[in-house]
Amino acid sequence: MKSLSALCSAVLLSLSLAASADPIIIKFSHVVAPDTPKGRAAEKFKQLAEEKTHGRVKVEVYPNSQLYKDREELEALQLGSVQMLAPSLSKFGPMGAREFEVFDLPYIFPNSTVLHRVMDGVVGNKLFAKLDSKGVTGLAFWDNGFKQMSSNRPMHTMADFKGLKMRIQSSKVLDAEMKAFGAVPQVMAFSEVYSALQQGVVDGTENPVSNFYTQKMNEVQKNMTISNHGYLGYAVVTNKQFWDGLPADIRSELTAAMKEATEFERDIAQKDNDDALEKVRAAKTTEIYVLPDSEREAWRKALLPVHAQFADVIGKDLIQDVYDVAAQVEKEQQHPAGKNKKKK
Ligand code: LMR
């Protein structure tokens, strides 16, 4: 009898050891193709996270809206059905974080130095703090790039957009931006854009070229204007309860993996977009027009009032923070450190 109970205890012990040896699963869902800056960085994070935790964490990456579409994915994260996402910054509005739309303001980032300093500084911190009460923890900001316009009509001046039905992400700022063009904005999940363009449900869209090419939108869009009028980037987010509940050593390895994956992502994003543009050119499906500086200035002037229009929604202070960073960077670029130092 005694030996039977000893046997039972041994079996129970080995079962519980087996259970504790089960890896922690992170489902990382996203909506773009694997061969994009976000898709490749998600795979990089998987590789680093699994290596650094010696297999105690297993990351399952689900690209191309396989698991969830745009809006559903944030709800799924809050419910804990998925542990990690990297939605575009334009998609946090519907969950009550419209402040993220500061990144959508047209022409707010003169260059990527300003952009990254904004992400990695006060503004980024304030935005992540907003997510806390929603059960979401922000881990990193990832790049895609500046957006270009596409449709089946040449778009040289703002007047060329009049009446075009343009697909946008779920951002009020983007809605106002398209209206300032005289276009008719239509919110739509990313996974539906190709067929909506093909069937003429919408006439055009805006996206960085890496997304445009990997979704084969060039097959259904005859014209593209290189305008760089706005930015599209990502916040990598996790479920707060899941994250806080991780063993501290695992959390710190995952933090290190995310840091490395973020450096990788920001390094490849621009080149991925440049390569995608070359592929669109080579495909000869889409005529590419590069907006000249004179016209770009006309677009910028016409779109700038959108900043003031959203001062209350986004917060004047947050917008001012971005302007301050831009002014500081400009000053540094005009007077690089050491330039005025006297020679000894
Ligand atoms: C879009 O919906 O156009 C983008 O946000 C897709 C993405 O995640 O890059």
Side-chain angles (χ1 to χ4, degrees):
M1 198 62 192
K2 201 170 176 194
S3 67
L4 183 63
S5 81
L7 185 67
C8 286
S9 320
V11 168
L12 283 176
L13 181 66
S14 67
L15 280 178
S16 81
L17 280 178
S20 68
D22 278 350
I24 297 165
I25 305 288
I26 295 182
K27 289 187 181 169
F28 189 149
S29 166
H30 68 82
V31 301
V32 296
D35 193 16
T36 52
K38 174 163 66 179
R40 291 170 63 194
E43 286 297 335
K44 185 78 174 175
F45 172 73
K46 168 186 168 66
Q47 176 215 322
L48 291 166
E50 293 180 355
E51 266 170 31
K52 285 181 190 294
T53 61
H54 306 287
R56 285 169 70 199
V57 170
K58 190 166 178 302
V59 182
E60 297 171 357
V61 180
Y62 298 91
N64 268 327
S65 310
Q66 255 170 42
L67 269 193
Y68 299 104
K69 297 202 281 188
D70 288 339
R71 183 157 183 171
E72 299 163 1
E73 66 173 13
L74 273 163
E75 286 164 5
L77 185 81
Q78 287 175 298
L79 291 171
S81 316
V82 64
Q83 288 71 38
M84 233 178 241
L85 307 172
S88 141
L89 301 163
S90 319
K91 291 179 183 166
F92 287 85
M95 76 181 293
R98 290 267 166 225
E99 296 85 350
F100 277 73
E101 294 179 16
V102 69
F103 284 98
D104 292 331
L105 291 171
Y107 295 110
I108 194 162
F109 300 109
N111 52 53
S112 40
T113 308
V114 175
L115 170 71
H116 291 143
R117 225 183 262 184
V118 165
M119 288 174 160
D120 300 334
V122 177
V123 174
N125 289 340
K126 283 185 186 171
L127 292 176
F128 279 168
K130 297 268 171 210
L131 296 180
D132 234 48
S133 63
K134 310 195 185 299
V136 172
T137 297
L139 298 177
F141 287 100
W142 284 1
D143 267 349
N144 191 329
F146 288 92
K147 290 179 289 185
Q148 322 303 347
M149 292 289 196
S150 71
S151 75
N152 286 315
R153 160 198 299 185
M155 295 150 292
H156 295 186
T157 67
M158 291 196 73
D160 295 329
F161 288 86
K162 194 152 183 53
L164 278 183
K165 276 181 276 159
M166 296 294 281
R167 177 268 170 173
I168 54 163
Q169 305 172 77
S170 54
S171 152
K172 298 283 183 217
V173 168
L174 298 181
D175 182 86
E177 170 209 270
M178 285 300 178
K179 285 178 178 155
F181 274 101
V184 184
Q186 198 160 319
V187 175
M188 187 178 286
F190 187 63
S191 54
E192 288 158 17
V193 181
Y194 177 90
S195 58
L197 290 169
Q198 187 182 39
Q199 289 160 18
V201 175
V202 288
D203 302 308
T205 184
E206 56 166 16
N207 235 300
V209 193
S210 59
N211 275 348
F212 183 81
Y213 182 72
T214 52
Q215 295 297 319
K216 300 185 166 59
M217 291 184 205
N218 62 299
E219 291 175 357
V220 288
Q221 297 277 264
K222 292 195 178 69
N223 298 85
M224 172 180 275
T225 294
I226 304 298
S227 51
N228 296 308
H229 60 280
Y231 172 73
L232 193 153
Y234 308 108
V236 187
V237 289
T238 184
N239 177 292
K240 183 171 160 47
Q241 204 181 348
F242 165 77
W243 189 250
D244 292 348
L246 287 172
D249 60 330
I250 295 270
R251 200 168 43 239
S252 93
E253 292 302 345
L254 292 180
T255 305
M258 184 53 69
K259 188 165 179 291
E260 267 185 61
T262 300
E263 281 159 17
F264 167 84
E265 209 273 350
R266 291 194 190 171
D267 267 2
I268 61 166
Q270 180 65 49
K271 183 164 185 323
D272 271 16
N273 277 293
D274 294 346
D275 290 351
L277 184 58
E278 282 320 303
K279 288 177 188 157
V280 175
R281 275 189 216 282
K284 296 190 187 319
T285 47
T286 312
E287 195 174 309
I288 297 166
Y289 175 76
V290 180
L291 198 68
D293 284 352
S294 55
E295 190 56 36
R296 179 184 153 91
E297 195 44 32
W299 287 31
R300 202 178 71 83
K301 275 203 184 117
L303 293 173
L304 274 186
V306 176
H307 294 204
Q309 197 182 330
F310 280 85
D312 290 340
V313 179
I314 293 170
K316 284 195 185 67
D317 59 332
L318 214 61
I319 299 178
Q320 190 57 48
D321 286 339
V322 179
Y323 293 162
D324 290 348
V325 173
Q328 178 63 27
V329 169
E330 196 186 345
K331 208 161 113 193
E332 288 168 13
Q333 285 171 347
Q334 280 168 0
H335 305 285
K339 196 178 164 188
N340 296 327
K341 277 189 194 149
K342 284 188 190 141
K343 282 186 189 146
K344 285 189 183 161

